[in-house]
Amino acid sequence: MRARNKKDGADFGLSFLDCICCGFGAIVLLFVITMGSANQMIQSLRDRLQQVVQQRISQIEELEAQESQIAQRAMVAEEKLNEAQSREEKLRSLMDRMSLQISKLEAGKEAKMVELEDEKSEIASMQTELEVEMILPDINLPVGLPVESNYIAFVFDTSGSMRDSGTDQLHGAAIEKIQNVLDSYPEIKGVQFLDADGRYMLRGTPGIWLPDDPATRRGALQVLASYPQFSNSNPVPGIFRAIRSLYQPDNEEMRMAVFVFGDEFTGKAEPVLARLEQINPRKDDGNRHVSINAVGFPTVLRYPLMGAHTGMKFANLMREVAYKHDGAFIAVRNQR
């Protein structure tokens, strides 16, 4: 038997070691190849996951935006609902007030009808008393007028009821009565003319007395006949202005009178009487500074349903004013 060679044993060991190393290297190589493929798969999965996450985030943002819009719409709808409820409450309240007002108006209508019937009865009962012709004695002095006046201011109602419907000029009867009053005072120191609203009827003469002479009287009557300005049916402003602007307290010789020509009064008598007490008080001798007279025309008393109550108010007011302020009230029965 041949002895074993040590060199051969060494070669065999090295070869086995080479095989083992090669196999291990192959395994490592396979592992490396496998890991690279797995990394690609992982990266691909990661990318897909990121896309899915981004999509979900986008969807969530869209849902949040929609939720915000829905919440805003809900708030707007709630505000509109509240406004509608508020309007409904206001409308109900308004309807209740209107129903109450309607009830009051109906009750007032009934009261007015009763009052109208009472006024008709009053007009009928007082018609004879008002129909008093302005009687002029031989000297053309209206009964009861203060003869001592030396300054006279005329206040005219120039509203439509005091005018001729065909010409829009003052009624001829009114001009005639004005002429009668002027003729009753042949010698006075001053004269002036105002309409019911307090406007001076002759241009350029506000606040001053006109010298009384035949030319002034003729010119004034011509102006009055064709006076174009329509006044309200309320002579009170004209009376107040005549007293305030024309009366001269320092003129000891002045004995001023106001003559009112009209047919209607639309206000209340009590404030007028109270104001006249302030601006036209009594002097130490008991007389008023200014006497106030009135001539009433029956232009509206003929029509009880249209304006007779304003005619009655004028007559009642001016009789009271004339009585308290040293004057006279004359009611004209016929008006041509």
Side-chain angles (χ1 to χ4, degrees):
M1 182 175 177
R2 193 179 55 167
R4 188 175 180 180
N5 193 346
K6 294 181 178 181
K7 183 177 180 181
D8 292 336
D11 291 338
F12 174 79
L14 292 173
S15 298
F16 179 77
L17 184 60
D18 290 338
C19 289
I20 293 298
C21 290
C22 288
F24 184 74
I27 292 171
V28 171
L29 180 61
L30 288 172
F31 181 76
V32 171
I33 293 172
T34 303
M35 286 297 295
S37 177
N39 288 335
Q40 291 179 355
M41 291 178 63
I42 291 171
Q43 185 65 36
S44 176
L45 290 173
R46 182 180 296 170
D47 292 341
R48 291 181 61 188
L49 287 174
Q50 287 180 349
Q51 292 177 357
V52 171
V53 169
Q54 190 66 36
Q55 290 176 356
R56 295 295 183 269
I57 292 174
S58 299
Q59 292 176 355
I60 291 173
E61 291 177 350
E62 291 178 0
L63 289 174
E64 289 178 347
Q66 292 177 359
E67 182 180 3
S68 177
Q69 292 178 357
I70 292 172
Q72 291 180 355
R73 292 176 182 174
M75 291 178 61
V76 172
E78 185 176 1
E79 291 177 355
K80 290 183 178 179
L81 178 60
N82 293 334
E83 291 178 357
Q85 291 176 347
S86 177
R87 286 197 297 268
E88 182 180 2
E89 292 177 357
K90 290 180 180 179
L91 286 174
R92 287 180 179 176
S93 177
L94 180 61
M95 290 178 64
D96 293 339
R97 291 199 302 270
M98 291 181 65
S99 298
L100 181 60
Q101 290 178 358
I102 290 173
S103 300
K104 290 182 179 180
L105 288 174
E106 289 178 351
K109 179 181 177 181
E110 296 296 329
K112 287 294 183 183
M113 293 297 294
V114 174
E115 183 180 349
L116 181 60
E117 292 298 328
D118 292 341
E119 288 184 353
K120 288 181 181 178
S121 301
E122 183 180 1
I123 291 170
S125 63
M126 298 183 68
Q127 188 72 24
T128 303
E129 181 180 356
L130 285 175
E131 290 183 350
V132 178
E133 183 72 39
M134 186 166 74
I135 303 173
L136 302 179
D138 294 337
I139 59 173
N140 289 332
L141 179 62
V143 175
L145 294 183
V147 296
E148 71 277 4
S149 302
N150 55 7
Y151 289 87
I152 300 177
F154 293 90
V155 176
F156 301 97
D157 179 352
T158 60
S159 62
S161 60
M162 288 290 290
R163 295 174 180 267
D164 188 310
S165 59
T167 62
D168 275 344
Q169 295 183 349
L170 290 179
H171 285 297
I175 300 299
E176 179 183 349
K177 300 308 178 186
I178 296 169
Q179 180 69 66
N180 290 338
V181 173
L182 285 172
D183 291 344
S184 301
Y185 293 88
E187 295 182 3
I188 55 177
K189 295 183 177 181
V191 65
Q192 189 53 272
F193 304 88
L194 300 88
D195 66 13
D197 291 338
R199 292 183 292 256
Y200 284 86
M201 302 176 72
L202 276 65
R203 293 183 179 180
T205 65
I208 62 174
W209 288 103
L210 302 176
D212 181 54
D213 53 49
T216 299
R217 294 190 177 197
R218 286 194 303 270
L221 290 175
Q222 292 176 358
V223 171
L224 297 180
S226 59
Y227 185 67
Q229 296 287 339
F230 281 69
S231 69
N232 292 315
S233 296
N234 180 7
V236 174
I239 299 172
F240 287 173
R241 188 172 188 189
I243 296 174
R244 287 197 300 260
S245 63
L246 293 174
Y247 179 69
Q248 301 169 355
D250 297 333
N251 187 349
E252 297 180 355
E253 297 181 355
M254 173 172 283
R255 295 184 298 276
M256 178 178 168
V258 173
F259 280 86
V260 181
F261 289 77
D263 61 346
E264 290 184 275
F265 174 62
T266 57
K268 295 183 178 180
E270 291 77 8
V272 177
L273 296 172
R275 182 58 178 158
L276 282 175
E277 286 293 332
Q278 296 175 354
I279 66 175
N280 188 34
R282 292 192 180 277
K283 298 183 291 186
D284 294 338
D285 59 5
N287 296 320
R288 298 283 184 177
H289 292 85
V290 178
S291 65
I292 303 176
N293 312 272
V295 178
F297 295 85
T299 55
V300 296
L301 292 176
R302 305 169 184 171
Y303 311 104
L305 295 179
M306 296 179 62
H309 63 289
T310 58
M312 287 294 302
K313 290 175 71 174
F314 175 84
N316 292 332
L317 171 69
M318 297 316 301
R319 276 192 287 190
E320 187 73 13
V321 169
Y323 174 75
K324 290 186 175 183
H325 292 266
D326 303 338
F329 173 78
I330 300 172
V332 179
R333 181 179 64 189
N334 296 323
Q335 183 172 327
R336 297 185 295 276

